[in-house]
């Protein structure tokens, strides 16, 4: 009986510790000027793409959770506020065969069907276990894998992903240099709007989306691409 009680207590503690002890700023982050984009209790500060409310996302145990109801179009939420230069931090975890991402400089108008038409994306996906809509294994190109600047820049050899568990990510954006971080390591670096950047942009992937990546200010977007995804500790500092 004692063993069973201890086991149940451990399971309860694990379930309670999922997110509800987070979503706060350290004293140093406060000094540095970071603010929370998610308070751990509500969806305040967010809205569904081209809607006036939040659909398909809920707050569970202090996590902002995409329910997996989206797809190539629909399901994403965006920040109410727009940002130009920034340092963004967040923690995330994917559901089975997960696919999500965080985009920025997203221009939200009825002219566009989805945020990826304008905003660059920090990719988050199960690299070796992604599946198509029929449940069949779907091999990914390197530019489609986690921490890549989607269809633009690949993550380097410093990349380490915690499959099925929490990961921490950061984007530092300035006109001089962009850094993508994953679990404490810089995995992508590039200069936005440089000759190299335009060469990659014009290589064919974005031919159907002529406004991709051109905006210098815009909204932060969290993607629901048909699988469950958890976010917590979403923080931003304007630079």
């Amino acid at each position: 009986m004692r063993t069973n009680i201890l086991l149940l207590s451990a399971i309860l503690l694990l379930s309670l510790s999922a997110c509800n002890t987070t979503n706060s700023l350290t004293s140093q982050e406060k000094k540095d000027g970071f603010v929370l984009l998610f308070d751990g209790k509500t969806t305040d500060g967010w809205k569904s793409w081209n809607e006036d409310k939040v659909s398909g996302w809920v707050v569970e145990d202090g996590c902002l959770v995409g329910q997996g109801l989206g797809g190539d179009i629909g399901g994403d939420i965006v920040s109410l506020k727009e940002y130009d230069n920034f340092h963004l931090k967040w923690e995330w975890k994917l559901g089975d065969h997960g696919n999500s991402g965080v985009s920025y400089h997203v221009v939200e108008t009825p002219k566009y069907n989805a945020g990826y038409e304008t905003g660059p994306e920090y990719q988050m996906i199960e690299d070796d276990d992604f599946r198509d809509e029929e449940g069949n294994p779907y091999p990914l190109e390197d530019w489609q894998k986690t921490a890549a600047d989607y269809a633009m820049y690949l993550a380097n050899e410093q990349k380490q992903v915690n499959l099925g568990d929490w990961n921490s990510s950061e984007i530092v954006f300035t006109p001089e240099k962009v850094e993508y971080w994953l679990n404490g390591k810089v995995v992508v670096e590039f200069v936005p709007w440089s000759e190299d950047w335009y060469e990659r942009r014009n290589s064919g992937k974005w031919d159907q989306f002529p406004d991709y990546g051109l905006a210098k200010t815009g909204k932060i977007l969290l993607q629901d691409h048909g699988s469950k995804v958890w976010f917590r500790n979403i923080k931003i500092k304007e630079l």
Side-chain angles (χ1 to χ4, degrees):
M1 176 65 72
R2 177 179 173 81
T3 300
N4 291 339
I5 292 174
L6 289 174
L7 180 60
L8 288 172
S9 298
I11 293 173
L12 179 60
L13 284 173
L14 285 173
S15 65
L16 290 175
S17 64
C19 297
N20 55 7
T21 59
T22 57
N23 303 305
S24 61
L25 298 171
T26 66
S27 58
Q28 187 60 52
E29 287 172 334
K30 291 177 182 178
K31 291 179 182 177
D32 291 341
F34 279 91
V35 297
L36 289 173
L37 285 183
F38 169 55
D39 63 14
K41 301 175 182 178
T42 71
T43 57
D44 291 353
W46 298 90
K47 62 188 287 295
S48 290
W49 174 260
N50 280 335
E51 295 184 24
D52 294 326
K53 60 181 181 179
V54 172
S55 303
W57 291 71
V58 297
V59 178
E60 295 178 347
D61 297 325
C63 294
L64 183 57
V65 187
Q67 297 294 291
L69 304 179
D72 189 54
I73 295 176
D76 303 337
I77 57 174
V78 293
S79 62
L80 298 184
K81 186 173 180 179
E82 296 186 349
Y83 301 90
D84 49 15
N85 305 324
F86 59 86
H87 184 176
L88 176 68
K89 301 179 182 181
W90 72 98
E91 295 176 354
W92 56 276
K93 182 174 67 172
L94 297 174
D96 292 340
H97 319 305
N99 183 7
S100 183
V102 173
S103 296
Y104 53 92
H105 292 172
V106 169
V107 179
E108 185 197 23
T109 73
K111 173 183 177 181
Y112 304 114
N113 293 314
Y116 61 73
E117 296 185 28
T118 60
E121 178 185 345
Y122 181 118
Q123 173 75 316
M124 295 151 47
I125 196 168
E126 287 206 347
D127 291 351
D128 300 321
D129 194 24
F130 184 64
R131 296 171 183 264
D132 61 22
E133 294 179 356
E134 285 73 41
N136 302 310
Y138 186 93
L140 301 173
E141 301 290 343
D142 287 341
W143 52 264
Q144 295 174 297
K145 293 183 177 181
T146 288
D149 182 41
Y150 185 81
M152 292 288 283
Y153 292 91
L154 312 183
N156 62 30
E157 68 280 357
Q158 297 294 314
K159 167 183 164 180
Q160 291 184 328
V161 185
N162 300 320
L163 293 176
D165 205 346
W166 287 100
N167 295 272
S168 64
S169 292
E170 301 178 43
I171 298 172
V172 182
F173 187 96
T174 70
E176 293 73 34
K177 186 173 74 169
V178 179
E179 295 177 350
Y180 286 7
W181 291 66
L182 177 62
N183 294 323
K185 301 288 182 63
V186 178
V187 294
V188 171
E189 294 180 274
F190 61 91
V191 178
W193 311 304
S194 62
E195 182 178 343
D196 176 69
W197 185 90
Y198 273 105
E199 183 176 342
R200 294 167 186 261
R201 180 195 179 278
N202 297 332
S203 63
K205 171 62 181 178
W206 304 109
D207 285 351
Q208 298 180 54
F209 309 109
D211 295 333
Y212 167 82
L214 299 183
K216 292 181 169 56
T217 186
K219 298 187 174 186
I220 305 296
L221 178 146
L222 308 183
Q223 186 184 79
D224 179 334
H225 204 295
S227 54
K228 203 165 184 179
V229 59
W230 291 259
F231 287 90
R232 68 184 185 189
N233 272 338
I234 312 172
K235 311 170 183 182
I236 196 166
K237 172 185 177 180
E238 297 185 68
L239 302 176

